[in-house]
Amino acid sequence: AHGLLGRPVGLLSRNSASWVVTDLAAAWAGAQPVGLHTAWPTEELAFVIRDAGIAAVFVEPAQAGRLAEALAGGDGVAHDVGE
């Protein structure tokens, strides 16, 4: 958690109790939670992840494929979104 101190972390999940717990836990750990909406197109999701400099993403299993696609950057290879 120390590596995320003061850094933005993404939350890709539908609204649920788990989302609230993850949001609060990330903030309590000193990270800056950024909500990533499940309704966004993959291209917009990828843009927000890159533009916000998101260091890690907490993702619900149903959204894992979309996250992988967003991180692939069009070349089929997942790219590090951290430093």
Side-chain angles (χ1 to χ4, degrees), residues 40-80:
W40 287 347
T42 303
E43 296 79 19
E44 186 171 351
L45 181 61
F47 172 79
V48 171
I49 290 170
R50 283 190 312 271
D51 191 59
I54 290 177
V57 178
F58 295 95
V59 59
E60 70 179 353
Q63 297 294 321
R66 289 194 62 234
L67 177 61
E69 188 178 335
L71 296 178
D75 59 8
V77 179
H79 298 280
D80 182 10

Side-chain angles (χ1 to χ4, degrees), residues 10-54:
L11 305 174
L12 180 57
S13 174
R14 292 167 293 151
N15 292 337
S16 66
S18 296
W19 188 93
V20 173
V21 170
T22 305
D23 182 58
L24 293 173
W28 185 77
Q32 299 170 343
V34 176
L36 302 170
H37 300 278
T38 58
W40 287 347
T42 303
E43 296 79 19
E44 186 171 351
L45 181 61
F47 172 79
V48 171
I49 290 170
R50 283 190 312 271
D51 191 59
I54 290 177

